[in-house]
């Protein structure tokens, strides 16, 4: 995939009731705050800082639609697990916004769920996994920050993620899990994710 153009076309906030109606395919990215969604999206877009990266939890409070090559959209969903960073009512509004998007988008093809490879999936990760499944999608799990581990540690970390999701998710035992290790530093995993995108786009 050659990235020729990138455009942050639409930003949807908690006070926006209407979502954009696109004809191009959409691919959404969900994950807890600070798990590396913006870094992943920048890597996929081959841009250094187009999607804003922040060390402050809960920074992404909107749904951001990135038009790629006038062919498809990468959709950055608000980070979850940010209860300490915002008032309760705001957190609930963000949750409603994510659910509304997953339920309403007519061109959403796949949802990528990002988890930190260094730790077992959190309860919020499992809830999001189930939430995505409940809305009719099989999450593609991206294990971020793989450069923080030794290469010899990565296989076991992936097994741990698979095990926890299977044991704790309502849907885990029913699905074939795809877990891809990714590093924004080394770019490892980018090609595997791009291959998945290409697979959907070329159907």
């Amino acid at each position: 995939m050659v990235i020729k153009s990138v455009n942050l076309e639409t930003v949807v906030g908690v006070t926006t009731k209407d979502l954009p109606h696109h004809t191009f395919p959409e691919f959404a990215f969900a994950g807890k705050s600070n798990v590396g969604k913006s870094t992943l999206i920048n890597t996929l877009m081959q841009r250094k800082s187009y999607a804003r990266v922040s060390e402050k939890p809960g920074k992404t409070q909107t749904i951001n639609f990135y038009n790629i090559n006038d062919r498809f959209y990468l959709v950055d969903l608000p980070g979850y697990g940010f209860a300490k960073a915002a008032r309760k009512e705001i957190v609930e509004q963000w949750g409603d916004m994510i659910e509304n998007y997953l339920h309403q988008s007519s061109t959403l093809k796949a949802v990528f769920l990002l988890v930190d490879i260094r730790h077992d999936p959190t309860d919020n990760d499992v809830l999001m996994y189930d939430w995505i499944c409940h809305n009719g999608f099989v999450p593609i799990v991206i294990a971020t920050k793989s450069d923080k581990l030794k290469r010899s540690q990565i296989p076991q970390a992936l097994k741990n993620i698979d095990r926890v999701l299977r044991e704790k998710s309502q849907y885990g035992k029913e699905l074939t899990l795809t877990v891809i290790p990714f590093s924004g530093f080394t770019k490892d995993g980018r090609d595997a994710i791009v291959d998945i995108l290409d697979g959907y786009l070329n159907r």
Side-chain angles (χ1 to χ4, degrees), residues 76-162:
D76 186 6
L77 299 175
Y80 55 83
F82 38 64
K84 294 181 180 179
R87 299 192 309 273
K88 182 179 178 181
E89 60 268 27
I90 298 298
V91 174
E92 291 175 350
Q93 286 178 322
W94 292 348
D96 290 343
M97 181 169 56
I98 296 172
E99 184 176 33
N100 188 42
Y101 169 71
L102 293 176
H103 184 69
Q104 288 193 22
S105 174
S106 60
T107 59
L108 180 58
K109 300 301 181 184
V111 182
F112 295 84
L113 175 61
L114 281 64
V115 300
D116 191 324
I117 197 171
R118 299 172 296 178
H119 311 289
D120 288 349
T122 65
D123 289 343
N124 280 333
D125 291 329
V126 176
L127 283 173
M128 178 56 72
Y129 185 92
D130 284 345
W131 207 1
I132 295 168
C133 291
H134 179 72
N135 281 278
F137 299 92
V138 179
I140 301 162
V141 180
I142 308 297
T144 62
K145 306 185 182 183
S146 64
D147 56 282
K148 302 296 184 180
L149 297 181
K150 297 178 181 178
R151 286 195 174 274
S152 61
Q153 295 175 311
I154 291 176
Q156 185 60 52
L158 297 179
K159 288 180 181 179
N160 290 341
I161 292 170
D162 184 284

Side-chain angles (χ1 to χ4, degrees), residues 126-127 129-130 133 163-175:
V126 176
L127 283 173
Y129 185 92
D130 284 345
C133 291
R163 174 183 54 78
V164 171
L165 290 176
R166 287 186 182 280
E167 290 177 354
K168 294 188 176 182
S169 168
Q170 299 178 44
Y171 301 87
K173 296 179 176 63
E174 304 171 11
L175 301 174

